[in-house]
Amino acid sequence: MIKVAMTSVYVDDVAKAHAFYTDVLGFETRTHMDLGGGTLFVTVGAAEGAQQDLQLLLEPGQGPIAEPYRTAVKGAGLPCIVFSVDDVHQEYDRLRALGVEFTQAPTEQGPVITAVLDDTVGNLIQLAQPKPQG
């Protein structure tokens, strides 16, 4: 069986991204290594033991491939990654109270409810919840 072990998101500033993804979004630090020369290798993952085999690499977003990609994706208003949540409305309220800016409030889209936020380090992030049955 093949499973996703790590995926990455390009960020403007790894240290700032680490703070946002842990302190604001609630992820836990899985790896934090200083590789020298101001380069950090940082991964985060779901808190409280969830998805222990899956990590998100906060990848430096500078360079001839990453920079144009990030600019185009964000310029088109597209999220670079989707995070599942139990309750989009609750997360929306919690994150707005912490000062997070959203480009899309909770919206029903077919079988899901989504919201889109700015991660402060160059990306749009989508939160998604399956629509309650009933």
Side-chain angles (χ1 to χ4, degrees):
M1 169 186 356
I2 298 175
K3 299 188 316 181
V4 176
M6 183 182 299
T7 190
S8 62
V9 61
Y10 292 118
V11 298
D12 292 339
D13 179 316
V14 174
K16 183 178 177 184
H18 182 235
F20 182 82
Y21 280 70
T22 55
D23 298 342
V24 178
L25 294 183
F27 286 96
E28 66 183 19
T29 303
R30 299 280 175 84
T31 308
H32 191 284
M33 297 183 342
D34 186 338
L35 301 177
T39 303
L40 295 174
F41 181 87
V42 177
T43 67
V44 297
E48 300 174 15
Q51 295 180 305
Q52 283 299 306
D53 59 346
L54 179 58
Q55 298 181 72
L56 178 63
L57 172 63
L58 303 176
E59 184 88 42
Q62 297 72 28
I65 296 172
E67 191 111 11
Y69 168 77
R70 288 183 330 118
T71 301
V73 170
K74 188 170 184 184
L78 300 173
C80 70
I81 195 163
V82 178
F83 296 138
S84 65
V85 296
D86 293 329
D87 186 326
V88 168
H89 294 281
Q90 182 180 18
E91 284 298 320
Y92 176 80
D93 292 341
R94 180 184 77 82
L95 293 171
R96 282 192 38 124
L98 293 172
V100 174
E101 293 185 24
F102 280 78
T103 61
Q104 177 199 307
T107 304
E108 290 190 16
Q109 295 184 325
V112 296
I113 303 169
T114 65
V116 178
L117 63 94
D118 186 321
D119 76 352
T120 73
V121 286
N123 303 292
L124 298 177
I125 305 292
Q126 186 175 67
L127 304 179
Q129 164 200 346
K131 222 163 39 175
Q133 300 296 319

